[in-house]
Amino acid sequence: MHLIQPQLHTRRAFLRRAGQLAFTGAALPTALNLAAMGEAAAFNATDYKALVCIFLNGGNDYANTVVNYDSSSHQQYSAVRGNIALAQAALTPTLLTPDVALPGGKQYALHPAMTGLARVFHEGKAAVQLNVGPLVVPLTRQQYLGSNRTLYPLPPKLFSHNDQQSVWQSSQPEGATTGWGGHLGDLAIGANANGTSLFTCISVTGNTVFLSGDTALSYQVGSGGPVKINSLTDNSVYNSQAVKAAMMALAMQERDHVLEKEYNLVTSRAHGAYQQISGALADFPADDARFNRFVTNGNSLAAQLKMVARLIAAQAKMQTRRQVFFVSMGGFDLHDNLLNGQNTLMGRLSAAL
């Protein structure tokens, strides 16, 4: 089912569809948050805003990421988790202490490896959103195993990793052609928030349905910068200026055949985008002191976020006021290596954030 059309990108339409999504197995809180972000004024303003989505491929274990800490809740958590539960004492360094105490004495802590992110939380620069996911309604095991799908509907393709990753990114199983970030890009493009639509949605981690919209395209860069077409960008091809000129002519000339014309259009757009982004990033080199806080040390997520920071710094030269970025981190399909594997991954995630 195609949920969104370009002419229907309004806050009212987004809210209406958010209600409908409850019947398709989509994450309703996510839908409502995105609807709120679609307020027309947010896209007509003259300031700059960016959304950066960090996607954890493979399915991160939530219960050992934001962990029940108060004695009563931790006892329940430990009883359910058994030998994969994290000890309460190990969680003390990452205990989250909000300004206002939670009802019922509830307390939470982050995974013990996430000391960096806990510090950011206590600085008032991070928050935790609980109870967000693809479930349509809360389910007990008995309700899940039962046959009453009217009262207890299930998300589509539950337990299929690739389908659930698609549901998180687009509200639909694998095969979806548009995603949440792309729809936000459509809203920005529809409001003429950016001078060029090509840089509205940028991925630093390859192709992703999350950034695909009805009109918004997902532009891809690497951690080191935009990807160039060597034969069009290098000073020469096979040490020959003539070959370089011939390649440029072949790539840029007008074609009558529909496939040849489209191929050259994509090639020309990619070459022009490379030149524009390279020029914009030239004033914000990776070794600039302004980006010293991004200590990569082999941390691929930190390297991706460093590129996002450089692109945000260069947004004026790219004529953008609203952007959506997508980065990712893999390895979360841990199975029986949960405790050791997640400890390493959470440390990298915390350091990068």
Side-chain angles (χ1 to χ4, degrees):
M1 180 173 68
H2 190 68
L3 293 175
I4 296 182
Q5 300 172 15
Q7 67 270 26
L8 298 180
H9 282 308
T10 65
R11 183 173 183 269
R12 180 175 297 175
F14 222 145
L15 284 168
R16 182 177 67 252
R17 284 191 298 273
Q20 296 167 348
L21 289 175
F23 299 100
T24 68
L28 182 58
T30 302
L32 292 175
N33 286 338
L34 292 177
M37 294 177 68
E39 190 74 58
F43 290 92
N44 293 328
T46 57
D47 60 345
Y48 175 83
K49 282 182 170 57
L51 172 69
V52 183
C53 174
I54 301 174
F55 199 78
L56 307 181
N57 289 295
N60 179 41
D61 176 43
Y62 80 96
N64 278 15
T65 301
V66 181
V67 192
N68 289 285
Y69 182 85
D70 61 280
S71 297
S72 175
S73 299
H74 190 272
Q75 288 175 7
Q76 293 178 319
Y77 151 84
S78 297
V80 171
R81 302 231 101 192
N83 61 3
I84 61 171
L86 297 169
Q88 188 181 37
L91 298 168
T92 302
T94 53
L95 174 62
L96 301 179
T97 53
D99 294 335
V100 179
L102 299 178
K106 284 287 290 184
Q107 290 180 299
Y108 293 95
L110 295 181
H111 187 284
M114 304 185 79
T115 53
L117 192 56
R119 174 180 53 79
V120 177
F121 176 90
H122 291 130
E123 291 174 352
K125 299 177 181 178
V128 176
Q129 176 67 56
L130 301 175
N131 298 325
V132 175
L135 284 181
V136 183
V137 297
L139 290 172
T140 65
R141 177 181 175 84
Q142 183 179 2
Q143 291 163 350
Y144 167 75
L145 294 174
S147 58
N148 192 338
R149 295 283 76 93
T150 301
L151 287 178
Y152 307 111
L154 301 178
K157 306 287 184 72
L158 197 61
F159 294 112
S160 166
H161 283 206
N162 53 328
D163 285 297
Q164 289 310 301
Q165 290 191 158
S166 180
V167 167
W168 269 105
Q169 294 185 32
S170 67
S171 83
Q172 302 170 71
E174 192 173 46
T177 57
T178 58
W180 295 115
H183 294 317
L184 289 174
D186 289 338
L187 289 168
I189 292 171
N192 295 316
N194 296 335
T196 174
S197 63
L198 186 57
F199 304 135
T200 300
C201 298
I202 299 182
S203 171
V204 196
T205 185
N207 193 31
T208 168
V209 70
F210 179 81
L211 290 184
S212 179
D214 289 308
T215 55
L217 298 174
S218 173
Y219 183 75
Q220 299 175 39
V221 302
S223 296
V227 180
K228 68 178 182 178
I229 303 174
N230 293 334
S231 59
L232 304 184
T233 308
D234 294 346
N235 292 328
S236 64
V237 179
Y238 301 123
N239 295 317
S240 169
Q241 289 288 339
V243 174
K244 162 72 181 293
M247 293 293 292
M248 182 68 77
L250 285 171
M252 300 299 176
Q253 67 185 210
E254 286 291 327
R255 302 295 183 107
D256 294 327
H257 190 281
V258 62
L259 293 180
E260 292 178 348
K261 184 176 182 178
E262 186 65 20
Y263 183 86
N264 277 18
L265 176 64
V266 172
T267 302
S268 176
R269 185 174 63 209
H271 181 59
Y274 169 81
Q275 291 181 312
Q276 187 174 349
I277 285 193
S278 295
L281 290 176
D283 291 338
F284 304 95
D287 58 357
D288 191 290
R290 288 171 287 187
F291 306 107
N292 284 346
R293 72 184 69 180
F294 294 91
V295 182
T296 54
N297 288 342
N299 187 327
S300 63
L301 180 60
Q304 293 174 56
L305 289 172
K306 183 174 184 178
M307 174 49 59
V308 170
R310 292 176 63 199
L311 290 167
I312 288 175
Q315 55 86 16
K317 290 202 168 188
M318 291 189 291
Q319 302 176 35
T320 54
R321 292 189 288 110
R322 295 293 183 268
Q323 289 182 288
V324 184
F325 295 94
F326 188 87
V327 299
S328 73
M329 182 178 174
F332 287 91
D333 191 6
L334 293 167
H335 294 273
D336 58 355
N337 189 38
L338 174 65
L339 289 179
N340 291 332
Q342 195 184 32
N343 187 69
T344 299
L345 293 171
M346 290 291 98
R348 291 175 184 169
L349 175 63
S350 177
L353 287 173

